[in-house]
Each structure stands twice: as structure tokens, then as C-alpha cells.
């Protein structure tokens, strides 16, 4: 039986993913135990992997600010991309209004499901790993007393950027855009995700392994969602 994105089942799945994500965020305070103040000897920089010492110790607010900009830009692109595509098709007469609206709704659901799945997995991983952020290792006693400071693995900013942008490029490919546009999309996606990852490291918010994992998870979530709906999510008109 052909799966339909724009259906009660597809919309219910979207709501369920977002509900799971938000529920896990709300449970963070009760599930994460700030452990560094009680065991500072177990929260030392010397215990980090060599790769995670790259960029360690810096807290540059400018990079922190940049990572928020690139994360938000990812969301803007992910929403505006489908709107622009279907608007052009509508204006050119390639699709009737109802067909363009249906395809746009499908595209946006793909993006929303990709981001929500990534967010839910990210929060679940935070609760399971409870890895201190880099700045906690600089002062475990005074900076390790907040549950939110144990959400280093993996990076939410980076995974959001990777997921939202990858979903948009998968959408572009599925809707039959020229290969040159799709490849350009992958380049832009890689640059923005990389800038976000670097920003999180240099801001002292995440380790290299946090952002590397986040990039992979975000991409795989977008790929998985697009593949799940592959029979319905393709070029066509309504």
C-alpha cells in the first residue's frame, strides 16, 4: 500500500515526533544528574580523547553567536526552499494551485519530521550519556551544577542544521530539480553545517566528537525520513 505523507498517519507521526522531543526536553531536569561537583577528579581535561582536546578551553562568544545564526539560517532555508520551488511552479503554470499546495505541504512535512526525529534522538542521547560540556571541565565544581551543562553529546545546533538542510536537498532531488542545483545544495548544506560545528567547538559548547556525530545523525535522519516516504515523495502534480 502506498504511503501518503499528507495523510492522518503522516500528520500524526509528525506530531508524535515533536511530542517525544518536547517531552524529553521537559524531563531533562529530572533525568540528568550533575555529577562533576561530587566527583571533580572524574571530570578533568586529561581524561578527554585527544581529538576532543582540539579547540578545548576557548569560549569565544562571537563563534557562539555565529552558530546560532547558521542554525537559524538552516531553518529559514529549509522552510523557504520548498515555498520558493512550489511558488515558481505555480507561477509558471506547471502546477495548479491545489497541486502546488499539496506538494508544498509534503515538502514541509518531510523537513519537520526530519528535524523532530533528530531532536528526539538528540535529547534521548543527552539523557543516556550525560556528557559534560567542555567548559565544565575547566571548573567542575562551580560550572557543573546544572543539568543543562551535561548535554554535550551530541550537538543540537549542528544536528539541526544537518537535518534541516539535508531534508531540503533530498526534497530538491525528489522534485526533479537539475543535478547542478542539487549538488550546489549539498555544498551549501556542508558549508553551513561545518560553520555551525566549528562555532560550537570554538564557543566551548561542544567537543569535536559531539559535532561530528551530530552531523552524521542529522543527515541520516533526513535520509531515513525521505526514504520512508520515497514512493510518495517524488516529482508529480496533484
Amino acid at each position: 500500500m502506498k504511503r501518503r505523507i499528507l495523510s492522518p498517519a503522516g500528520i500524526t507521526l509528525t506530531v508524535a515526533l515533536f511530542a517525544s522531543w518536547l517531552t524529553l526536553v521537559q524531563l531533562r531536569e529530572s533525568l540528568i544528574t550533575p555529577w562533576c561537583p561530587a566527583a571533580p577528579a572524574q571530570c578533568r581535561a586529561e581524561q578527554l580523547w585527544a581529538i576532543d582536546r582540539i579547540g578545548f578551553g576557548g569560549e569565544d562568544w562571537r563563534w557562539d553567536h555565529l552558530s546560532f545564526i547558521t542554525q537559524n539560517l538552516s531553518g529559514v532555508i529549509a522552510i523557504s526552499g520548498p515555498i520558493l520551488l512550489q511558488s515558481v511552479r505555480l507561477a509558471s503554470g506547471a502546477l495548479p494551485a491545489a497541486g502546488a499546495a499539496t506538494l508544498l505541504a509534503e515538502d514541509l512535512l518531510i523537513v519537520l519530521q526530519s528535524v523532530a526525529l533528530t531532536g528526539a534522538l538528540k535529547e534521548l542521547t543527552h539523557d543516556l550519556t550525560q556528557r559534560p560540556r567542555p567548559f565544565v571541565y575547566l571548573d567542575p565544581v562551580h560550572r557543573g551544577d546544572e543539568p543543562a551543562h551535561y548535554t554535550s553529546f551530541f550537538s543540537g545546533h549542528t544536528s539541526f542544521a544537518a537535518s534541516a538542510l539535508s531534508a531540503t536537498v533530498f526534497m530538491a532531488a525528489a522534485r526533479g530539480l537539475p543535478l547542478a542545483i542539487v549538488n550546489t545544495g549539498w555544498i551549501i548544506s556542508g558549508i553551513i553545517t561545518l560553520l555551525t560545528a566549528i562555532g560550537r567547538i570554538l564557543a566551548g559548547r561542544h567537543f569535536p566528537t559531539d559535532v561530528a556525530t551530530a552531523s552524521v545523525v542529522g543527515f541520516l535522519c533526513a535520509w531515513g525520513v525521505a526514504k520512508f516516504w520515497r514512493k510518495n515523495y517524488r516529482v508529480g502534480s496533484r
Side-chain angles (χ1 to χ4, degrees):
M1 182 177 180
K2 188 176 182 180
R3 297 190 185 107
R4 304 285 299 180
I5 308 169
L6 193 59
S7 66
I11 295 172
T12 299
L13 176 59
T14 306
V15 173
L17 288 172
F18 271 100
S20 300
W21 182 8
L22 295 176
T23 299
L24 288 169
V25 171
Q26 293 300 314
L27 291 174
R28 180 188 293 173
E29 295 285 331
S30 59
L31 294 177
I32 296 180
T33 302
W35 55 270
C36 284
Q42 303 300 317
C43 192
R44 297 181 301 170
E46 293 79 10
Q47 298 170 326
L48 297 172
W49 294 332
I51 190 174
D52 283 332
R53 292 177 190 156
I54 298 175
F56 177 75
E59 293 184 74
D60 193 327
W61 66 268
R62 293 169 297 183
W63 280 100
D64 191 31
H65 183 61
L66 176 64
S67 68
F68 275 91
I69 292 176
T70 52
Q71 176 193 236
N72 295 338
L73 178 60
S74 302
V76 171
I77 293 174
I79 297 300
S80 62
I83 293 175
L84 177 61
L85 172 60
Q86 302 309 336
S87 296
V88 169
R89 288 184 166 178
L90 176 61
S92 66
L95 286 175
T102 298
L103 294 181
L104 174 59
E106 292 177 355
D107 293 341
L108 294 179
L109 280 175
I110 288 289
V111 172
L112 291 175
Q113 289 181 7
S114 300
V115 169
L117 176 60
T118 303
L121 290 177
K122 179 256 301 181
E123 283 299 323
L124 179 61
T125 306
H126 286 174
D127 294 336
L128 293 174
T129 61
Q130 302 190 19
R131 187 184 197 186
R133 291 183 182 270
F135 59 78
V136 174
Y137 286 84
L138 300 175
D139 187 357
V141 174
H142 298 100
R143 305 187 71 179
D145 58 351
E146 293 289 336
H149 294 174
Y150 293 80
T151 56
S152 191
F153 187 81
F154 49 88
S155 168
H157 284 66
T158 310
S159 60
F160 176 90
S163 179
L165 293 171
S166 295
T168 306
V169 180
F170 283 128
M171 175 275 299
R175 295 310 187 198
L177 269 67
L179 183 60
I181 293 179
V182 174
N183 288 338
T184 299
W186 283 122
I187 293 172
I188 294 173
S189 174
I191 291 173
I192 295 177
T193 301
L194 179 61
L195 285 174
T196 306
I198 292 173
R200 300 312 286 165
I201 294 172
L202 297 183
R205 296 297 185 264
H206 288 284
F207 297 103
T209 51
D210 298 334
V211 298
T213 302
S215 300
V216 173
V217 172
F219 171 82
L220 289 178
C221 284
W223 174 81
V225 169
K227 185 175 178 61
F228 181 79
W229 298 112
R230 66 189 181 279
K231 291 182 180 179
N232 180 230
Y233 190 55
R234 62 171 185 260
V235 181
S237 60
R238 298 293 185 271

